[in-house]
Amino acid sequence: MRDVIYLDRMEQAETLLKPQRVEVLRQLGTPRSCTEVADVLDQTPQRVHYHVKQLVKAGLAAQVAERKVRGVQEGLYQAVARSYWLSPRLVGRIGSRDELALGHLVDLAEQVQADVAALDRDTELPSVGVSGEIRVRPEDRQQFLAELQSTLQDLFTRYGGAEGDAFRIALACYPKGDNR
């Protein structure tokens, strides 16, 4: 089972974004039959089977084993990931995207989500995450943003050659929601 699956196809999102299926998928954190899931969720096995088949079809769950119960073959199913990230692109957007627009931050967050979801979690990978808060007076905002952009551009120029391992740097600078 993977840690994260990044959902960027509308069919997958439509399959997942039904409350009953989310509950079924939660129950499939470990291999279970439709009958076992139905007992936990107090639903009929047929109803759960329908939802499980839709999850399998969308690539969100998989049949991992089969067993014979009272002469009948019964499938055991499991979720393919612990977490599912939904691409913001599937929700849709209106308006233009320039580098100073808040919509650009959504695009950036989506790129980071897709990149992180694609990483091999079984391998130790060099990475760094930094988060902090900086307070800037309104009259200094433009200067702060210009210095930040200049500093990063200097790093991109210094280390932007064609040789070596490629790293993506994503920086988001935005006003904090509660201005305390």
Side-chain angles (χ1 to χ4, degrees), residues 2 5 16 25 37 56 68-69 79 92 97 118 137 140 180:
R2 293 186 56 185
I5 295 287
L16 181 63
L25 199 55
V37 173
V56 168
K68 202 168 206 171
V69 178
R97 298 286 173 252
R137 293 188 312 255
D140 295 333
R180 289 183 226 164

Side-chain angles (χ1 to χ4, degrees), residues 41-147:
L41 298 179
D42 196 28
Q43 294 184 8
T44 65
Q46 294 82 0
R47 184 178 183 93
V48 170
H49 186 262
Y50 169 77
H51 290 304
V52 168
K53 287 297 180 188
Q54 296 302 311
L55 291 166
V56 168
K57 183 179 173 185
L60 305 174
Q63 183 173 342
V64 294
E66 218 174 52
R67 66 183 177 201
K68 202 168 206 171
V69 178
R70 291 178 292 230
V72 177
Q73 289 297 106
E74 180 178 59
L76 295 176
Y77 299 89
Q78 185 171 15
V80 297
R82 288 179 179 80
S83 298
Y84 298 84
W85 288 352
L86 184 62
S87 167
R89 183 178 46 227
L90 295 178
V91 177
R93 298 203 194 103
I94 299 171
S96 65
R97 298 286 173 252
D98 66 47
E99 66 180 16
L100 298 178
L102 291 178
H104 182 67
L105 293 178
V106 174
D107 294 339
L108 179 61
E110 180 179 3
Q111 182 64 56
V112 170
Q113 269 187 336
D115 288 348
V116 170
L119 293 175
D120 180 1
R121 302 289 178 129
D122 297 329
T123 305
E124 187 65 31
L125 299 169
S127 60
V128 64
V130 178
S131 177
E133 186 175 313
I134 295 174
R135 299 211 175 249
V136 179
R137 293 188 312 255
E139 63 269 17
D140 295 333
R141 285 182 189 158
Q142 290 304 322
Q143 181 182 348
F144 164 71
L145 293 172
E147 283 183 46

